[in-house]
Amino acid sequence: MNEIRALKLYNTLSGKKETFKSIVPGHVGMYVCGPTVYYDAHLGNCRTFVSFDVIYRYLLHLGYKVRYVRNITDVGHLTDDGEDRMAKGAKIAQLEPMEVAQKFTVGFHEMMRVFNTLPPSIEPRATGHIPEQIEMVQSILDRGYAYERNGSVYFDVPKFVNENPGVYGSVSGRVLEDLYAETRELKNQDEKNHPADFAIWMKARPQDLMVWKSPWSVGFPGWHLECSAMSTKYLGKTFDIHGGGNDLKFPHHENEVAQNHGSCGCSPANYWLHTNMLLLNGKKMSKSDGNFITAAELFSGDSPLVSKGYSPMAVKFFMLMAHYRSTLDITDDALLAAEKGFRKLMETHKLLQNMPVDPRNFDGSETDTDRAILSLIENAYQGMDDDFNTAVAIAALNELGGYVNKLANQQLSHSEVAPWVLERLKTVFKTFIHDIFGLKEEDANEDNGTLEGLMELLLDIRAQARQQKDWATSDKIRDALAVVGIQVKDGKEGATWSKT
RNA sequence: GGUAUCGUGGCCGAGUGGUUAGGCACAGGUCUGCAAAACCUGCUACAGCGGUUCGAAUCCGCUCGAUACCUCCA
């Protein structure tokens, strides 16, 4: 129903904004690196997936048919001591590795649900694609870009760099010289020809629990391989968009590109999108060094970092107030501001949707107000078209909200706004808030009309009292409701209410 | 040490050569029985120093500071 607008997005490969053109007109293939399920997802993870959810939703809104693939990594990561991450979690919890993976996968899905994100089209698991990964290792070997050493297989980075100029480093900006300059002491490097080489198949040691048979050894695939194999399987050798967190640029994405190139001689994705980090106390949130707050802690307020709990939608709105490529620092003040802004916008949204459209007295002329509203709507769209700038779109909605409130207060006459413009405004608010941002009323599923009925009665009684200038009764109702978290708002046409 | 990115008003945060970001906070006002809500107005910034330009927060250089990556990280 929507014509496809010109969309610009920032491509990490070129370092600038480019006009988006999909490989197959009207269709988009998008792959996003998903979570490693050995621990609770933290807020930083949430930000990335919320960002890509909005990107997914906007592409859908524009009319694209999108296949959105987001993986679950449930094997293959090595810890500093070389132990499989899933196995480590298993030992701590004394569970089967797949039990650990399952537990945190369920938790991750729950978190994504709480943030009201759409599920991806396909959510493949690394452990479910071992044959595909083994096949890819074989094709990389066949093409001469890997070598076997004692049952493990390593990607030959220097050879790849020599034979494919301009490819390695295209994501991270890193060049082989930098890698030569790497002086850090690394373990288990003795088998590699070059420090920049990386494992695509690891021979298992006795303590490894998740192992598979392969032509080279009983072992497990390298960390970067799963994404290469699964993106190829579901989206083809070359697809449109590949996304992930900034911190995955190197080595993960760089090596992913090398593997795809190494196995098929082509680039995996035309556009690489990277979200920036969520900071906490000005530092990156990271589960490995303990500087993080879980979403649950933020929601409950059970953390010294926040003065109170913040609802998932307020937190999501906070994230959307910043552009996805900027770092975003979590502070209590900023969350407080976002929460207020969110509630105000949602209240305005509710007012707007309940506003009657009456075409009877419309004289057919276009007013300055009409033009201003239409121009702000265009601003909102242009913001999204410009690399998914949710901050700009929200600013436009806020300004539009001013007109809505003025109409509701009768500070602006309904004759100033053409009926079709008001209808358009309603649609735009609905579209942006629900369809594109994926925001929703927080208490939408809590009551079933009971509260509405009670409030109608109370406000009716109060209106009668006010008519008789019985301020004591009137104020008693207002104050008592305030105590239970309901704010009464008196307007020209009677009172409305909202939860605080 | 190497490589990037960034430094915007009290706070958060868009913008990137000339035009209002927006939100929150604060102050004044309108409305109101009083409040609240809403609306209006005000506060009005681009780290520092140089350079390019008719014009720079926006481009270039340097300085200072911050963050991230450099084989666990979204």
Side-chain angles (χ1 to χ4, degrees):
Chain A
M1 74 184 243
N2 298 285
E3 72 205 79
I4 294 189
R5 300 172 61 99
L7 179 64
K8 284 197 159 183
L9 40 82
Y10 183 90
N11 190 350
T12 303
L13 296 180
S14 63
K16 50 190 158 197
K17 286 179 193 169
E18 299 175 11
T19 301
F20 177 67
K21 196 168 177 301
S22 61
I23 295 166
V24 180
H27 291 257
V28 174
M30 176 163 85
Y31 188 95
V32 172
C33 289
T36 302
V37 283
Y38 78 107
Y39 207 85
D40 278 319
H42 70 244
L43 268 180
N45 297 303
C46 294
R47 184 196 186 193
T48 292
F49 301 127
V50 162
S51 296
F52 281 108
D53 181 59
V54 170
I55 288 169
Y56 176 44
R57 285 167 176 272
Y58 193 62
L59 290 169
L60 290 175
H61 173 70
L62 290 181
Y64 286 106
K65 297 248 185 303
V66 185
R67 181 178 292 166
Y68 172 25
V69 181
R70 186 184 67 204
N71 65 292
I72 294 277
T73 295
D74 53 1
V75 71
H77 284 200
L78 299 179
T79 55
D80 288 339
D81 47 322
E83 189 178 30
D84 186 289
R85 295 199 121 186
M86 301 313 304
K88 185 178 185 184
K91 280 175 188 166
I92 292 166
Q94 297 190 313
L95 294 167
E96 274 298 312
M98 283 309 281
E99 222 172 339
V100 176
Q102 178 66 13
K103 179 186 171 190
F104 293 114
T105 299
V106 169
F108 172 67
H109 285 154
E110 171 62 11
M111 196 52 65
M112 290 296 97
R113 191 191 64 76
V114 164
F115 274 112
N116 201 33
T117 64
L118 298 172
S121 323
I122 301 174
E123 190 168 49
R125 286 170 173 250
T127 52
H129 297 75
I130 301 299
E132 288 85 349
Q133 296 183 67
I134 289 173
E135 210 172 292
M136 187 166 262
V137 171
Q138 189 59 58
S139 63
I140 295 170
L141 276 168
D142 290 347
R143 288 171 53 86
Y145 291 120
Y147 53 91
E148 187 193 341
R149 189 77 27 102
N150 304 324
S152 292
V153 181
Y154 294 95
F155 194 92
D156 190 335
V157 174
K159 182 178 181 194
F160 179 78
V161 168
N162 283 337
E163 297 180 8
N164 301 272
V167 175
Y168 202 81
S170 55
V171 178
S172 65
R174 217 162 290 275
V175 294
L176 196 61
E177 287 69 49
D178 296 337
L179 298 167
Y180 278 111
E182 174 61 51
T183 54
R184 185 182 292 196
E185 282 291 321
L186 295 167
K187 294 172 185 171
N188 304 325
Q189 287 236 115
D190 28 301
E191 289 179 348
K192 296 187 194 176
N193 288 346
H194 186 277
D197 294 348
F198 56 93
I200 51 180
W201 186 264
M202 291 287 277
K203 183 184 177 181
R205 296 144 309 167
Q207 65 266 36
D208 291 316
L209 297 178
M210 299 181 93
V211 295
W212 292 264
K213 280 183 196 165
S214 79
W216 314 283
S217 65
V218 171
F220 51 93
W223 170 34
H224 318 296
L225 197 64
E226 64 201 58
C227 291
S228 291
M230 294 189 293
S231 65
T232 300
K233 174 164 184 176
Y234 296 112
L235 296 171
K237 287 176 177 172
T238 300
F239 50 95
D240 297 299
I241 297 172
H242 190 126
N246 223 347
D247 50 353
L248 293 182
K249 279 182 188 169
F250 191 87
H252 185 59
H253 288 160
E254 201 65 81
N255 290 351
E256 214 184 306
V257 170
Q259 287 164 350
N260 283 294
H261 249 280
S263 74
C264 75
C266 54
S267 298
N270 291 145
Y271 302 89
W272 284 78
L273 270 47
H274 288 97
T275 58
N276 217 134
M277 298 295 100
L278 190 63
L279 305 181
L280 181 61
N281 291 329
K283 291 252 164 79
K284 186 176 82 154
M285 282 242 259
S286 167
K287 51 196 166 200
S288 55
D289 62 16
N291 184 237
F292 72 101
I293 183 171
T294 65
E297 285 166 344
L298 190 58
F299 299 155
S300 69
D302 184 21
S303 162
L305 293 155
V306 289
S307 63
K308 61 186 278 284
Y310 295 93
S311 72
M313 286 302 109
V315 174
K316 183 172 184 176
F317 190 75
F318 166 71
M319 292 172 177
L320 297 182
M321 279 180 30
H323 183 72
Y324 77 89
R325 275 192 295 113
S326 298
T327 54
L328 176 60
D329 197 358
I330 292 189
T331 64
D332 199 46
D333 284 346
L335 285 166
L336 222 41
E339 182 187 55
K340 287 201 172 194
F342 171 66
R343 289 196 176 153
K344 187 171 166 183
L345 184 65
M346 292 308 270
E347 280 305 309
T348 302
H349 175 47
K350 209 193 296 180
L351 269 180
L352 173 63
Q353 299 308 330
N354 291 331
M355 198 174 278
V357 180
D358 185 0
R360 275 176 304 179
N361 297 323
F362 178 58
D363 66 6
S365 60
E366 192 184 47
T367 65
D368 287 344
T369 305
D370 287 330
R371 280 185 284 275
I373 289 173
L374 293 172
S375 156
L376 284 167
I377 289 172
E378 184 56 24
N379 287 352
Y381 271 100
Q382 281 177 8
M384 290 306 291
D385 291 339
D386 185 12
D387 197 28
F388 312 102
N389 198 325
T390 51
V392 165
I394 287 173
L397 290 188
N398 277 326
E399 290 205 77
L400 287 167
Y403 287 98
V404 172
N405 285 315
K406 273 182 276 193
L407 277 172
N409 276 348
Q410 300 181 340
Q411 288 165 307
L412 181 65
S413 164
H414 271 267
S415 63
E416 285 291 307
V417 180
W420 76 269
V421 173
L422 186 56
E423 285 289 6
R424 173 110 177 94
L425 190 55
K426 286 187 180 208
T427 305
V428 164
F429 259 72
K430 241 184 279 185
T431 300
F432 270 83
I433 290 174
H434 298 298
D435 301 343
I436 297 175
F437 296 151
L439 295 167
K440 59 177 183 183
E441 289 294 340
E442 321 229 58
D443 50 4
N445 50 2
E446 272 179 27
D447 59 66
N448 41 18
T450 311
L451 182 63
E452 272 78 9
L454 284 170
M455 284 305 301
E456 201 179 323
L457 174 66
L458 275 172
L459 290 182
D460 190 46
I461 292 170
R462 181 164 173 271
Q464 283 179 27
R466 298 186 75 213
Q467 223 162 27
Q468 295 157 17
K469 298 199 190 306
D470 177 4
W471 308 128
T473 303
S474 168
D475 290 352
K476 184 177 179 182
I477 292 173
R478 183 175 71 193
D479 297 344
L481 286 172
V483 170
V484 298
I486 289 173
Q487 180 184 47
V488 176
K489 297 187 261 197
D490 290 316
K492 286 223 164 62
E493 292 184 333
T496 57
W497 61 278
S498 65
K499 290 190 177 181
T500 55

